[in-house]
Amino acid sequence: MYFILLLSFAACQQEKPQSMVAAEHTSLEDASCHSNMPQRFATLTGAADDSLLTTNKAVSHENMVWIEGGSFGMGATDAEGRRDEYPAHKVKLDGFWMDATEVTNAQFAAFVTATGYTTVAERKPDWEELKKQLPPGMPKPADELLVAASLTFSQPNHPVPLNDASQWWSWTPGASWRHPQGPQSDIKGKENFPVTQVAWEDAAAYASWAGKRLPTEAEWEYAARAGLKDKRYPWGDEDVEAGKPKANTWQGSFPVLDERWDGFSGASPVKSFNPNAYGLYDMAGNVWEWVADWYTEDYYQTLAGKVSENPRGPAESFDPQEPTVPKKVTRGGSFMCNASYCKGYRVTSKMKSSPDTGLENTGFRCVASN
């Protein structure tokens, strides 16, 4: 990842992601909010995954909702899905507890205070570890490039091509969960906002500390549907911008103009919109949510024609758009999603992201089996 690191910090994010196709030239099938994002360096592989394990710590069910087990059809049944949302298939799940909201800044701060944990975004890249992933003889980058950083969103003031994510995403030194928009920002007064700028590793660490775990993708979709069958959104089929505001999404022309019809620019406090029928908030919009599963585009195809019981996703990751970068699945969409771009607030929509990468629009919630 040496060259990506150089591009990210020294060349003003000149990398041009080719897989993010402009909405006017493609369907949602090929659009992906998080494809070819600038990466720090991938340290995880698909060989091992302890995200479904929990500690022996007693679990508090405060701010959690019990989801009764059952069967459902997982995946898209309409024409709006991307390739990785098909085919729809039968899944059977045991019951589980789920956080009613995304994990908040206050909750994550309690974890950090109790453990002294340092997030991935706050760690200076270790050259001795980094060079193990590079060809022999690769020179060490300048020290000023090996700095703690995370990806932040910057709204352009003029129309930009939607196939160039560097127009609105950039690595920002000093960005972290404490400073989600960069070192000049903070979370004072935002204790009830979802924590962001957390890598998958950070989310899994919090979950383990809490005696919980990250949800499987199947658990997440089952909970988001809240008993509704063949509906596009957690609330039914009414479009997100019809009627009253139902979720924190992007209204207007992405990424240039957000008309803020829903009342927010950027993330919103949890519980700002009505919950779904299970009592879960922000299962559409606000911030993307990490889940436990590795990402492969054809995973659903391996489940076709059978009933999968408590599926945990593929054993390892492979993204044909970025074959060398392992990915974890994210669900639910964010404040950056709108109908002309990614429409990630659809109940079957998924994205994938490098597990060592924090983003200003990505957080998580936890589950517990008992």
Side-chain angles (χ1 to χ4, degrees):
M1 295 294 177
Y2 170 73
F3 294 109
I4 297 175
L5 206 61
L6 288 178
L7 286 170
S8 300
F9 291 112
C12 299
Q13 294 75 46
Q14 292 299 308
E15 182 164 342
K16 308 297 184 183
Q18 296 302 310
S19 61
M20 300 183 67
V21 185
E24 61 267 30
H25 299 304
T26 186
S27 67
L28 288 175
E29 178 181 0
D30 297 313
S32 178
C33 300
H34 293 168
S35 291
N36 282 335
M37 300 292 287
Q39 308 296 331
R40 285 183 75 190
F41 47 91
T43 56
L44 296 176
T45 69
D49 184 357
D50 64 358
S51 63
L52 295 178
L53 303 178
T54 60
T55 66
N56 293 324
K57 180 178 179 179
V59 180
S60 169
H61 294 144
E62 183 180 0
N63 195 41
M64 299 189 82
V65 174
W66 173 251
I67 309 295
E68 196 69 39
S71 299
F72 77 111
M74 183 175 182
T77 56
D78 58 21
E80 287 195 304
R82 301 175 182 84
R83 282 186 294 268
D84 55 15
E85 297 175 42
Y86 299 103
H89 53 283
K90 195 82 167 181
V91 171
K92 183 178 180 181
L93 295 174
D94 295 334
F96 56 96
W97 292 90
M98 177 174 258
D99 289 345
T101 71
E102 295 145 336
V103 172
T104 64
N105 286 319
Q107 291 171 315
F108 198 80
F111 159 61
V112 171
T113 298
T115 63
Y117 183 83
T118 302
T119 63
V120 173
E122 296 171 293
R123 304 172 199 166
K124 178 181 178 180
D126 185 341
W127 170 242
E128 293 303 316
E129 291 298 318
L130 180 59
K131 71 180 182 181
K132 294 176 184 178
Q133 306 172 45
L134 303 173
M138 190 70 75
K140 180 183 177 181
D143 287 341
E144 58 265 27
L145 300 181
L146 294 173
V147 297
S150 201
L151 285 165
T152 61
F153 172 71
S154 179
Q155 187 171 329
N157 60 8
H158 58 280
V160 296
L162 293 182
N163 64 344
D164 184 359
S166 69
Q167 297 290 324
W168 58 87
W169 282 115
S170 61
W171 280 103
T172 303
S176 70
W177 73 275
R178 303 176 193 272
H179 307 286
Q181 290 85 42
Q184 78 287 351
S185 66
D186 59 50
I187 55 173
K188 293 178 181 178
K190 295 184 176 181
E191 291 79 9
N192 204 35
F193 280 61
V195 65
T196 60
Q197 298 294 12
V198 284
W200 183 91
E201 177 183 330
D202 306 325
Y206 173 94
S208 180
W209 169 79
K212 303 177 185 180
R213 57 181 173 83
L214 297 180
T216 64
E217 186 180 10
E219 288 172 331
W220 197 99
E221 184 171 322
Y222 179 70
R225 288 179 178 273
L228 297 179
K229 183 179 179 181
D230 296 331
K231 298 298 183 181
R232 292 184 293 172
Y233 313 113
W235 54 82
D237 280 329
E238 184 178 64
D239 285 337
V240 69
E241 293 183 35
K244 296 180 180 180
K246 293 175 282 294
N248 182 7
T249 60
W250 187 284
Q251 299 86 48
S253 177
F254 180 85
V256 179
L257 175 65
D258 183 2
E259 296 176 347
R260 308 179 188 180
W261 171 75
D262 57 18
F264 298 98
S265 176
S268 57
V270 299
K271 297 187 177 181
S272 293
F273 300 88
N274 290 334
N276 71 4
Y278 284 171
L280 302 169
Y281 295 84
D282 291 322
M283 296 300 283
N286 211 13
V287 298
W288 287 97
E289 300 180 15
W290 290 111
V291 297
D293 301 37
W294 290 107
Y295 174 84
T296 61
E297 185 179 87
D298 62 352
Y299 176 58
Y300 287 5
Q301 296 175 29
T302 69
L303 306 178
K306 56 185 178 183
V307 177
S308 299
E309 294 193 20
N310 300 308
R312 296 188 173 191
E316 58 185 2
S317 172
F318 179 75
D319 179 5
Q321 294 179 325
E322 295 180 281
T324 63
V325 183
K327 303 285 182 64
K328 287 286 188 177
V329 175
T330 57
R331 282 299 204 121
S334 78
F335 62 84
M336 292 171 61
C337 288
N338 76 346
S340 68
Y341 184 43
C342 76
K343 211 170 185 180
Y345 43 80
R346 293 167 43 255
V347 75
T348 63
S349 182
K350 67 171 78 180
M351 289 295 160
K352 70 272 189 172
S353 189
S354 173
D356 64 357
T357 301
L359 289 157
E360 187 183 330
N361 69 341
T362 302
F364 68 102
R365 76 179 71 211
C366 302
V367 298
S369 298
N370 50 48

